[in-house]
Amino acid sequence: MALSGLQIFKLLPKTNCKDCGYPTCMAFAMQLAAGKVRVEACPHLPQEAGAQLSDAVSAPVSRVTVGSGASALAIGEETVLYRHEKRFEHAPGLAVLAGGSLSDVEFAERLEAFSALTFERVGEPLRPNMLAISASDGAVLEARVARAASLDAAVKAALIVMHDDPAVLRRACAPVADGRPLLYAADPTNWRDMGALARDLGAPLAVKAAGIEELIGLVEKLSGAGVEQLVLDSSPVDVRAAVRDQVFARRAAVKSRLRSLGYPTIAFACRLASDPALAAVVAGVLLCRYAGIIVLDTVDPALWLPLCVLSQNIYTDPQRPMQVEEGVYPIGEPGPDSPVLVTTNFSLTYFTVSGEVEASRVPSWLLVMNAEGQSVLTAWAAGKFVPEAIAAFIRRSGIEEKVGHRRLVIPGYVAQISGELAEELSGWDIEVGVREAVDIPRYLRSLVGSG
Ligand code: SF4
């Protein structure tokens, strides 16, 4: 069970020596309870209390790392059932399956298509970041794993290598063990050899069983054998069972602190729906329900883009809005006569507005004001995007040295502040722009056209 700050305090030495960097043991206890500091930061803990605290404050879902270097992907380390309680820590691995039914030519084409699957949204690169490789023939598997491991580092693909025979998996993975591939998978028939392989290679191991109950037994055997980097697969037969198992595992780990289900999971959406589009929908459902790795048998960008965006949306920290730096952003090559627009520094607002200004082909100055990453209406309602603050920002931004005119376009959603802003920002004319970003190109062209 997670401990409160007071419960943690009772286990501390209470000397207030400050060696942890905090002024009192109570301050340290509060930070520890909030997960902002590690137990080891107090060097004076008796061994028993240290072990008790480590156990109490560790994440109920263990952190597992697949891949290494630029391809390293951390999953798990989750602490909550619902994002609004705190945040979800690590976005799931998104894996493209390169299955054994592919010919050599098709495999090469799949790698090429996988490498090209890159998107960008609100300034962040998005892409599937894992490759799941299977082949029943050991020699084929070896060759394909080697080929995938030699992909350009910029592609950042952590590998999942799939075979039921530990000896075949060893031959395929030993040459690339430094890359920490996920070994798939230990099952009730091979778990001893698979566990030994995972220990020898220092690689994470997937555990596959027919349902949660069998999975728990297998995990206990493997963790008893010293294998701790595990990823769980309950082998659900349909979507309903998949969602049920995902929720059960997370709830048991977080609420009941059941260690044997406290590992990230892997979900083969492509096994639950044969149609790629339907499988992508299933993947979206599982992404919302705790899957640690999601596997799809497609390289269709139209299916991966929405999944990448969904993952980005769910796995941002709700307590930290995504934001861009305050400043004057020239779009196109604006000059002294170019329009001047102001907005807030919420990333989505900035990228949407700047994209539409760019699309208008009207060179413009976009003034992005720090509103703590809030959107225009939210910032206005919170008193952060209000006339006095906007006027102060315009004065300090330096835009008055860049343009010869004094016309400022404000977002249409805050039309009500135009009068007051005109008073605060003497010498400037305030023009009310459009409410929706999509109307910006038409608006800017009419503005320039009307001179
Ligand atoms: Fe208390 Fe330990 Fe911090 Fe010293 S180092 S103030 S004993 S928590």
Side-chain angles (χ1 to χ4, degrees):
M1 290 288 286
L3 298 182
S4 68
L6 203 56
Q7 288 168 319
I8 292 172
F9 174 70
K10 287 177 182 166
L11 295 169
L12 297 179
K14 305 183 197 66
T15 58
N16 297 334
C17 70
K18 302 184 178 61
D19 287 351
C20 57
Y22 292 91
T24 61
C25 291
M26 179 57 92
F28 178 78
M30 292 304 170
Q31 295 299 311
L32 195 56
K36 293 179 178 169
V37 65
R38 299 180 71 88
V39 175
E40 296 76 30
C42 171
H44 309 299
L45 275 173
Q47 196 175 2
E48 196 181 326
Q52 194 178 342
L53 281 176
S54 291
D55 189 52
V57 301
S58 65
V61 178
S62 296
R63 175 190 176 113
V64 171
T65 302
V66 185
S68 65
S71 305
L73 179 73
I75 52 175
E77 212 174 16
E78 303 295 344
T79 59
V80 293
L81 282 178
Y82 305 107
R83 176 179 179 264
H84 63 260
E85 291 177 292
K86 188 180 174 194
R87 65 178 169 269
F88 291 159
E89 298 293 336
H90 296 293
L94 300 177
V96 167
L97 178 67
S101 62
L102 298 179
S103 68
D104 286 346
V105 172
E106 288 167 333
F107 179 77
E109 287 170 353
R110 182 145 285 208
L111 287 198
E112 201 175 323
F114 171 80
S115 304
L117 272 176
T118 58
F119 316 101
E120 187 185 306
R121 181 170 177 265
V122 291
E124 281 190 7
L126 304 176
R127 57 163 305 133
N129 46 12
M130 302 188 86
L131 261 173
I133 301 169
S134 76
S136 52
D137 184 292
V140 172
L141 186 66
E142 266 178 73
R144 292 186 176 182
V145 168
R147 180 110 185 246
S150 68
L151 276 178
D152 192 307
V155 174
K156 295 184 183 166
L159 299 185
I160 304 167
V161 185
M162 306 170 65
H163 206 284
D164 291 337
D165 185 337
V168 173
L169 212 49
R170 183 180 289 274
R171 281 196 296 277
C173 292
V176 299
D178 285 352
R180 285 180 61 82
L182 174 63
L183 311 174
Y184 186 95
D187 63 28
T189 65
N190 67 13
W191 68 269
R192 278 193 184 81
D193 290 339
M194 282 291 189
L197 177 60
R199 278 198 312 272
D200 291 350
L201 301 186
L205 176 64
V207 190
K208 181 176 63 169
I212 290 285
E213 205 172 316
E214 188 174 277
L215 196 55
I216 290 173
L218 209 46
V219 167
E220 285 173 356
K221 286 175 186 166
L222 282 160
S223 60
V227 187
E228 280 301 337
Q229 290 270 290
L230 299 174
V231 177
L232 311 184
D233 181 1
S234 63
S235 312
V237 293
D238 56 27
V239 179
R240 183 189 171 118
V243 172
R244 180 199 61 208
D245 289 354
Q246 293 284 346
V247 172
F248 185 90
R250 174 65 69 87
R251 185 171 284 278
V254 171
K255 292 293 181 195
S256 308
R257 280 269 174 177
L258 184 59
R259 278 283 169 212
S260 38
L261 288 180
Y263 298 92
T265 58
I266 182 168
F268 286 83
C270 51
R271 290 177 182 166
L272 298 170
S274 53
D275 174 64
L278 197 53
V281 173
V282 171
V285 172
L286 296 172
L287 198 151
C288 295
R289 278 294 172 266
Y290 314 134
I293 296 173
I294 296 166
V295 187
L296 275 180
D297 187 7
T298 180
V299 282
D300 185 346
L303 300 181
W304 276 112
L305 174 59
L307 272 178
C308 290
V309 170
L310 180 63
S311 179
Q312 184 191 39
N313 282 342
I314 290 177
Y315 282 83
T316 49
D317 185 346
Q319 297 166 43
R320 287 191 190 177
M322 297 170 74
Q323 48 190 291
V324 295
E325 262 184 57
E326 178 177 282
V328 177
Y329 290 77
I331 298 177
E333 291 182 2
D337 297 327
S338 299
V340 177
L341 303 91
V342 66
T343 189
T344 67
N345 71 329
F346 177 42
S347 282
L348 197 55
T349 299
Y350 165 75
F351 283 101
T352 307
V353 170
S354 62
E356 294 297 343
V357 173
E358 203 173 331
S360 76
R361 299 185 185 279
V362 177
S364 303
W365 300 98
L366 180 59
L367 274 52
V368 175
M369 178 180 151
N370 180 8
E372 297 177 12
Q374 295 179 348
S375 63
V376 168
L377 266 184
T378 311
W380 169 72
K384 298 185 189 311
F385 194 63
V386 292
E388 193 179 352
I390 297 171
F393 165 59
I394 300 296
R395 299 283 189 220
R396 70 172 178 271
S397 70
I399 189 65
E400 289 173 326
E401 283 85 62
K402 296 180 191 302
V403 295
H405 65 83
R406 293 292 182 264
R407 292 184 303 278
L408 176 69
V409 180
I410 63 172
Y413 275 113
V414 288
Q416 64 274 30
I417 68 170
S418 60
E420 202 182 327
L421 182 56
E423 285 174 24
E424 292 282 349
L425 199 56
S426 61
W428 283 76
D429 291 330
I430 308 302
E431 297 182 17
V432 176
V434 292
R435 291 164 71 96
E436 303 298 337
V438 70
D439 295 323
I440 287 176
R442 177 187 51 76
Y443 172 78
L444 280 178
R445 286 196 284 266
S446 71
L447 203 63
V448 175
S450 66

